[in-house]
Amino acid sequence: MMHFMLLFSRQGKLRLQKWYVAHPDKVKKKITRELITTILARKPKMCSFLEWKELKVVYKRYASLYFCCAIEQNDNELLTLEIIHRYVELLDKYFGSVCELDIIFNFEKAYFILDELLLGGEIQETSKKNVLKAISAQDLLQEEETPQTFFEDHGLG
């Protein structure tokens, strides 16, 4: 089971965090700071897996963002890399070549996509098509709910 996923920039700025195991905020900050520092200090050719406390950390860099997951000792690192890659593919499909700014300005969409893919730290949906369908449905619902549409529909805008 995945314990958490972090997305951070090459400068060490946290862009997204999803925790599947409860920790106090102070502990989350300490974990985040420690892992970001450790991963950024590693050389590009080094392995993307590392043992950290009682967990394994799997990370991958895509452009200017690092995607980092902490998994249990008996979990499969390659499967976790595949989950990270699947998430990046979904972000790419949705945003059209995702970049750090997309995550910053549309973080709620990034979280929604992650929630469609993972549930409670386990893979929920393996089909990219199904995840994208759910996101499209959510976008449609959101468009229908915006006040601007209400005013236009009632001849007030």
Side-chain angles (χ1 to χ4, degrees):
M1 182 186 104
M2 191 178 296
H3 283 237
F4 57 85
M5 180 185 275
L6 306 172
L7 266 69
F8 56 92
S9 68
R10 287 184 305 194
Q11 293 76 34
K13 298 263 189 239
L14 187 62
R15 298 301 182 201
L16 184 137
Q17 59 180 328
K18 186 72 176 184
W19 297 83
Y20 299 106
V21 174
H23 294 288
D25 285 345
K26 196 173 180 181
V27 174
K28 287 180 187 177
K29 282 190 175 94
K30 186 178 185 289
I31 290 170
T32 302
R33 198 175 332 107
E34 195 176 314
L35 276 177
I36 289 174
T37 306
T38 303
I39 291 169
L40 289 176
R42 292 171 65 89
K43 304 241 184 308
K45 297 269 185 224
M46 291 176 89
C47 179
S48 293
F49 313 141
L50 57 114
E51 303 250 336
W52 182 78
K53 301 194 179 187
E54 71 283 349
L55 300 171
K56 284 192 278 192
V57 172
V58 178
Y59 69 92
K60 180 97 171 98
R61 180 177 159 195
Y62 287 90
S64 65
L65 283 175
Y66 284 88
F67 292 72
C68 167
C69 297
I71 58 174
E72 293 175 0
Q73 284 292 338
N74 58 350
D75 285 342
N76 186 329
E77 303 94 336
L78 295 176
L79 185 61
T80 305
L81 267 181
E82 185 60 35
I83 290 169
I84 291 171
H85 188 70
R86 178 63 46 107
Y87 183 47
V88 171
E89 285 178 325
L90 287 164
L91 290 170
D92 267 347
K93 277 253 196 288
Y94 184 79
F95 291 110
S97 188
V98 69
C99 68
E100 191 175 345
L101 287 175
D102 291 322
I103 303 293
I104 293 168
F105 293 116
N106 300 292
F107 65 90
E108 69 287 339
K109 288 291 177 207
Y111 277 113
F112 186 79
I113 293 168
L114 185 59
D115 289 343
E116 285 297 313
L117 181 66
L118 295 172
L119 180 67
E122 301 284 347
I123 193 89
Q124 171 180 253
E125 180 57 73
T126 55
S127 165
K128 282 188 281 190
K129 197 159 69 176
N130 287 350
V131 171
L132 291 168
K133 259 194 241 172
I135 296 159
S136 294
Q138 181 65 30
D139 284 348
L140 226 70
L141 192 63
Q142 199 172 4
E143 282 173 26
E144 289 172 8
E145 292 295 318
T146 52
Q148 186 179 9
T149 311
F150 172 83
F151 289 119
E152 288 169 358
D153 289 348
H154 294 85
L156 302 170

